[in-house]
Amino acid sequence: MLQNSFSRPPNRKKNMKFRMSVTAAAATLLLGTAVPASAQLGGLSLPGLSKSSSGAKVDVDAYLKNALTAEVLLRNSLEQLVASLGSKEDIARIEALKQQAAGITDSKEKEAKTQEITKSLAAAASTVDFEKAANEKVKAMDAQQKKTLGAASFNFVLAMLKDKELVGQSQSVIDGIGSNPANLGKLGAVKDTAASLKNQLELGSALAVKVPKLFATVGVKNPPTKASDAPVSVAD
C-alpha cells in the first residue's frame, strides 16, 4: 500500500488546477529559477544548491551511501516510468541492455553499462508526452497500475531532490577529505561520485517539470519537498 502521499484524484476542473500548481512547485524546488538547469550545471551552480560550511564535519561514507541510494532511486523510478508509459521499442531496447549488464562480471564494465541504461531510460522518458499521458493513457489504467506509476513519479522527483542536495555538498566533501588522512583513499571514489551525481541531475533536469503533470491523475497528493523525504513503494 502506498504511503499517505496518494489519494483518489479530484474532479477534472480541480485536477487541472492541482496539476498546474504541483508542476510549478516542482520546478521551483528543483530548478530554483526559470534558468534552464543544463545551463547551470557546468560549475555546480544550479540555483538553490548549497554547500556545507568549510568547517563542517565531513562524513565521506554517508555521502557515498546517500549517493548510491539516490542513483538507485533515480534508475528504478525511470525504469518504471518507461515501463508504464514508454514505447514498446524503448522497453525492448532497455531490456536488452539489462540482459547485457547481467552477463558482465568486470565491475567497471558493469558500472559503465549501468550508466548507459540510466541514460537510455532518461532519453526514453523524455520522449513521453506526460500531459497527454495524464489525460489519456493513465485514465485507462487500473488502480494498481496507477499506484505503481504514482510511486515512480513521486520517487523520480525525490531522486532529483537528493541529487541536488548531494551535488551541493560534493565540493565540501572533497575539500574536507584532506583534513582526515584516513579518508584519502576514498578521494577517487568521491570525485567519481560527484561527477556521476552531476550527470544524473543533468539527465533528469528536463524531466523535472514534466513528470509532475502525472501527479493528479495517479493520486500524488503531497509531492516530496526535501531530500530527506521517504520514497514510496507499492505493496505486493
Side-chain angles (χ1 to χ4, degrees):
M1 183 174 183
L2 290 175
Q3 294 180 356
N4 291 334
S5 298
F6 299 88
S7 63
R8 293 187 64 182
N11 62 43
R12 187 170 183 178
K13 181 178 287 187
K14 290 183 178 179
N15 242 5
M16 184 174 294
K17 183 182 292 185
F18 175 73
R19 186 157 60 242
M20 290 174 64
S21 65
V22 166
T23 301
T28 301
L29 280 168
L30 294 172
L31 304 182
T33 71
V35 179
S38 58
Q40 299 294 323
L41 288 166
L44 303 185
S45 57
L46 185 68
L49 293 182
S50 58
K51 294 183 178 180
S52 303
S53 63
S54 58
K57 182 178 180 180
V58 177
D59 189 336
V60 177
D61 291 334
Y63 169 83
L64 293 173
K65 180 179 179 181
N66 290 337
L68 179 59
T69 297
E71 178 185 353
V72 173
L73 188 65
L74 176 63
R75 185 166 58 252
N76 288 348
S77 61
L78 282 172
E79 185 171 351
Q80 188 56 61
L81 286 169
V82 173
S84 297
L85 302 173
S87 68
K88 292 181 180 179
E89 293 77 12
D90 284 332
I91 294 172
R93 184 174 64 255
I94 291 165
E95 185 58 34
L97 289 173
K98 288 170 62 180
Q99 290 179 3
Q100 292 173 20
I104 297 174
T105 56
D106 181 82
S107 59
K108 289 186 177 180
E109 290 183 14
K110 196 175 190 71
E111 176 61 23
K113 182 62 68 174
T114 299
Q115 294 301 324
E116 183 182 350
I117 291 171
T118 301
K119 289 179 181 179
S120 295
L121 285 167
S126 70
T127 66
V128 175
D129 185 333
F130 286 94
E131 187 167 1
K132 183 178 181 180
N135 291 327
E136 299 176 9
K137 193 167 186 177
V138 175
K139 290 184 178 179
M141 294 180 175
D142 60 33
Q144 185 62 32
Q145 290 172 323
K146 287 183 179 180
K147 286 183 179 181
T148 300
L149 183 55
S153 59
F154 180 100
N155 289 340
F156 170 79
V157 173
L158 179 59
M160 287 287 93
L161 290 171
K162 287 181 180 294
D163 279 348
K164 177 183 173 182
E165 179 178 83
L166 288 163
V167 167
Q169 296 170 355
S170 294
Q171 191 58 52
S172 294
V173 174
I174 292 171
D175 292 343
I177 283 180
S179 64
N180 185 350
N183 285 330
L184 288 176
K186 302 172 185 176
L187 181 58
V190 169
K191 287 185 175 181
D192 288 345
T193 296
S196 178
L197 286 165
K198 190 173 74 169
N199 288 337
Q200 289 173 44
L201 192 57
E202 191 167 24
L203 278 174
S205 62
L207 291 168
V209 295
K210 296 180 179 180
V211 172
K213 293 177 181 180
L214 297 172
F215 282 176
T217 49
V218 294
V220 179
K221 185 177 181 181
N222 298 307
T225 59
K226 55 187 183 299
S228 59
D229 284 346
V232 296
S233 60
V234 178
D236 295 330

